[in-house]
Amino acid sequence: MVERLRPAFVWAVWAGMTAFAGLFVAWYGGRLPVQDDFFYDKIRFNTHLPPAADLWEQLNEHRPLLPRLVTWGVARTLGPNLRTQMGVDLALLAATAAGLILSARRLRGHTTFSDAFFPLVLLSVGQHENLLWAVQVNFILPIYLQVLGLILVAEAGEQLSPGRALGVGLCAIGLSLCGMQGVATGTPLAAWLVYAGWRAARAGSDRRAASVAVALGLAVLGLVAANFVGLVRTFQPGSTDLAVARYALRMLAAGWGPVGEQIGPAEPTRWPPLLGAATFIVLAATTWRLVRYAREPRDRLAATGLLALLAGFAVLAAGIGYGRAAVSGGALVNRYVTLMAPVLCACYLSWVRFGPPRVGEAVTGGLFLAAAVFAWPNAAAGLTAARAQHAVHKYIERDIYLGVPRSFLAERYSWFLACPSPVWYEPILEGMRQRGLAPLHRMAAEPKLREVPATWRVEAFPAAGPDGWCRADDLQHVLLTVTVSAPGPTTGVRVRYSVAGEPGRVSSEAYWRLPTADGSEQPITVLHALGTGEGLERRLWLGFGVSRFHLVVRGPGAAVRIEGVTVFVAE
């Protein structure tokens, strides 16, 4: 009875996690491109196979040729809807978890309860950025290839077969075409292939397998070298002090999900993260075990292959620690959760293959229990972040249906859609509108407007001081009511202002009432990142006939001063 319950439990967890993640993507997945999605616009809407130059073009510090090709293929076969790509990404993760469950069964001879570890770490909605961001096929595709290579290596016997050499070689080639996250693990796999081929040739066991392994291994190393030819550094690396080591350990902890950031001490600190240190101990113990078995001729092939993959994951964690330690004060970036999950999976499968029965069961059982403990906190964190992101998507769609012009829309949500200036992605939005992609097909055409002077007055709470600044003081917020008058009906305003407060902690919103056709008024609220500094300006599209709007500025030490207002009228 128990033997039947074990696989039923594991596959029930896999099905439940997959279904929940599917509902998560269907409900919270946005229909609008966000940040790096804009870089894939030309790939997604290309009716013909994109030129090699476009596929090989540098993105940040990566050359994600294969993810771009997959994006193009998905768009051509299933449609360019961003949610379609999200669904394909989730399917890859579900297939990855299922493959690991089956591999553990083949290695052990049966499925046990702890094998539910795989769907718990790979299908958690805690990795909300990767599930709700179509461009993150850049991360999910290499993970699929890493795990496929992991399975092929872990199940290797004493002699290398041509089929296994071909499978691992294709995985390594794919990884070398997935950007630096793939290069980090594809390179040691290539080195392992050359070693395995040399070993097979030396033993005279299978010359065909040896030839395939060496040829593919050298091909991968050539592709890895090609990734660096002409590569332009786009990020300044972080410091080389202990902050890098701390962040590398934090990266290892990320494999458990965003909850890893909450198991202290959090940055900034001089101490290593506790969960990262614990994960490093598991990684070190696994490495020690594999080194022991690498001395045995019967197990050398699989043990050295697993060691190569673990070395690749360690290089990836250290590389991100070096390149990103200075970003966000060393705080965990959610999208890195998925990159580090295969480290834990590799450790688990290593103990299934090479662990003594009782010790191996204790280690794998401990990994499963930890993943089960973190499952709900991770899901809660993902749901919280997804709800906030979903709300912004709804705001944008509402504004599209209200007729907010493209340029105003791009400026209003530049803080959410993309980091650079909206000037470069505004034409992309227009292109999507012309292609009829919902909801942008409802976006209003750019109107002809004239900017004219206006008279204006400000009512503030708390009241403005003699210097014109409205300070939050103990209230932690400032409320401004701005009334304008101009010749002719207004459609929008340009506000010149200054904001003081703690950078990054000052938030703001604007709201007003929009007249409707039936004579009533519709309350409109928009999230507006005013920023901090002096001599700033923003444009607000209010709608025809609106002459009064309100600004709320919140945050420690928040203060705001309105310095000028002009209005836009239709020509």
Side-chain angles (χ1 to χ4, degrees):
M1 182 65 177
V2 175
E3 292 181 359
R4 293 182 178 179
L5 284 176
R6 289 170 179 167
F9 170 78
V10 171
W11 287 109
V13 172
W14 176 86
M17 295 290 291
T18 301
F20 185 68
L23 291 173
F24 179 82
V25 170
W27 183 259
Y28 293 114
R31 297 191 292 174
L32 295 161
V34 178
Q35 297 185 27
D36 288 358
D37 284 331
F38 287 97
F39 291 113
Y40 276 27
D41 170 73
K42 134 174 110 169
I43 298 290
R44 186 174 288 109
F45 290 101
N46 200 327
T47 55
H48 302 288
L49 184 66
D54 289 348
L55 295 173
W56 191 247
E57 185 181 2
Q58 182 176 340
L59 173 60
N60 295 330
E61 293 187 333
H62 307 278
R63 299 191 187 277
L65 183 148
L66 194 56
R68 282 178 171 138
L69 201 56
V70 169
T71 298
W72 176 80
V74 170
R76 295 281 63 75
T77 56
L78 301 177
N81 190 302
L82 293 172
R83 289 179 179 174
T84 303
Q85 182 63 63
M86 296 174 201
V88 171
D89 294 347
L90 175 58
L92 286 172
L93 287 175
T96 300
L100 286 165
I101 293 171
L102 294 173
S103 180
R105 186 185 69 181
R106 288 192 294 266
L107 290 172
R108 192 190 296 111
H110 63 274
T111 298
T112 190
F113 292 113
S114 63
D115 291 345
F117 165 84
F118 297 120
L120 287 177
V121 297
L122 286 170
L123 293 169
S124 170
V125 299
Q127 53 182 330
H128 60 87
E129 282 191 2
N130 290 325
L131 293 176
L132 302 179
W133 199 6
V135 77
Q136 286 309 97
V137 66
N138 290 347
F139 281 10
I140 291 174
L141 184 60
I143 286 162
Y144 174 80
L145 295 172
Q146 287 165 359
V147 170
L148 184 56
L150 167 66
I151 292 171
L152 289 170
V153 165
E155 296 180 14
E158 185 174 354
Q159 302 296 332
L160 181 68
S161 67
R164 194 171 302 276
L166 178 62
V168 176
L170 291 177
C171 288
I173 287 175
L175 287 169
S176 67
L177 299 175
C178 284
M180 290 304 169
Q181 54 267 17
V183 166
T185 46
T187 303
L189 269 183
W192 177 80
L193 278 169
V194 173
Y195 161 74
W198 169 80
R199 184 170 176 264
R202 185 181 180 187
S205 55
D206 193 329
R207 294 190 178 277
R208 188 173 58 168
S211 300
V212 170
V214 172
L216 289 177
L218 293 176
V220 173
L221 294 176
L223 286 172
V224 168
N227 273 270
F228 293 92
V229 175
L231 193 71
V232 178
R233 175 174 289 178
T234 58
F235 289 106
Q236 290 301 319
S239 58
T240 56
D241 59 11
L242 290 178
V244 175
R246 286 201 311 273
Y247 195 49
L249 288 178
R250 201 169 292 281
M251 277 297 301
L252 292 178
W256 297 102
V259 71
E261 184 73 359
Q262 301 167 15
I263 299 179
E267 295 285 352
T269 178
R270 291 181 177 274
W271 302 97
L274 300 180
L275 188 57
T279 307
F280 178 78
I281 291 172
V282 173
L283 180 61
T286 305
T287 302
W288 171 81
R289 190 72 186 172
L290 291 173
V291 167
R292 180 178 176 182
Y293 272 86
R295 300 172 183 171
E296 302 292 334
R298 183 181 59 181
D299 299 312
R300 185 170 297 160
L301 202 60
T304 53
L306 289 169
L307 282 170
L309 276 170
L310 290 181
F313 290 130
V315 168
L316 180 60
I320 296 176
Y322 174 69
R324 288 286 196 169
V327 179
S328 302
L332 176 67
V333 179
N334 181 269
R335 59 185 173 273
Y336 293 152
V337 167
T338 313
L339 279 183
M340 289 294 105
V343 180
L344 304 174
C345 296
C347 290
Y348 187 104
L349 216 57
S350 296
W351 284 95
V352 172
R353 170 74 192 262
F354 294 116
R358 291 191 177 182
V359 176
E361 289 175 5
V363 173
T364 56
L367 292 173
F368 162 69
L369 289 176
V373 168
F374 298 145
W376 173 245
N378 281 329
L383 287 168
T384 299
R387 290 188 187 109
Q389 178 175 311
H390 185 63
V392 180
H393 275 287
K394 289 301 180 184
Y395 274 127
I396 299 174
E397 293 195 19
R398 177 208 61 187
D399 288 352
I400 289 174
Y401 297 142
L402 286 175
V404 177
R406 181 185 67 249
S407 63
F408 283 84
L409 194 73
E411 289 180 28
R412 179 175 293 180
Y413 296 103
S414 61
W415 59 274
F416 177 76
L417 293 175
C419 296
S421 167
V423 173
W424 71 270
Y425 66 82
E426 186 186 329
I428 296 176
L429 294 178
E430 174 61 18
M432 292 180 176
R433 183 188 73 83
Q434 294 176 1
R435 295 183 181 101
L437 186 67
L440 293 168
H441 68 298
R442 296 280 300 274
M443 188 168 61
E446 196 70 18
K448 293 183 178 180
L449 300 175
R450 182 163 49 94
E451 188 173 357
V452 299
T455 57
W456 52 277
R457 71 177 189 273
V458 177
E459 302 171 30
F461 180 79
D467 55 359
W469 283 92
C470 307
R471 294 179 171 83
D473 297 328
D474 295 335
L475 295 176
Q476 292 293 303
H477 75 273
V478 181
L479 172 62
L480 302 177
T481 299
V482 183
T483 305
V484 299
S485 60
T490 62
T491 60
V493 296
R494 185 190 301 275
V495 184
R496 290 178 290 278
Y497 62 93
S498 295
V499 174
E502 240 181 275
R505 299 187 63 186
V506 173
S507 62
S508 55
E509 66 183 37
Y511 66 93
W512 59 90
R513 295 187 178 275
L514 180 66
T516 60
D518 60 5
S520 61
E521 293 182 330
Q522 180 179 359
I524 301 295
T525 300
V526 299
L527 306 175
H528 235 284
L530 294 180
T532 56
E534 296 192 10
L536 306 175
E537 67 176 42
R538 286 288 188 277
R539 296 194 310 166
L540 278 175
W541 177 268
L542 304 176
F544 288 95
V546 178
S547 60
R548 174 180 295 181
F549 61 95
H550 311 274
L551 293 175
V552 181
V553 181
R554 300 183 178 88
V560 60
R561 180 178 64 194
I562 304 296
E563 296 160 351
V565 180
T566 55
V567 300
F568 296 97
V569 297
E571 290 188 352

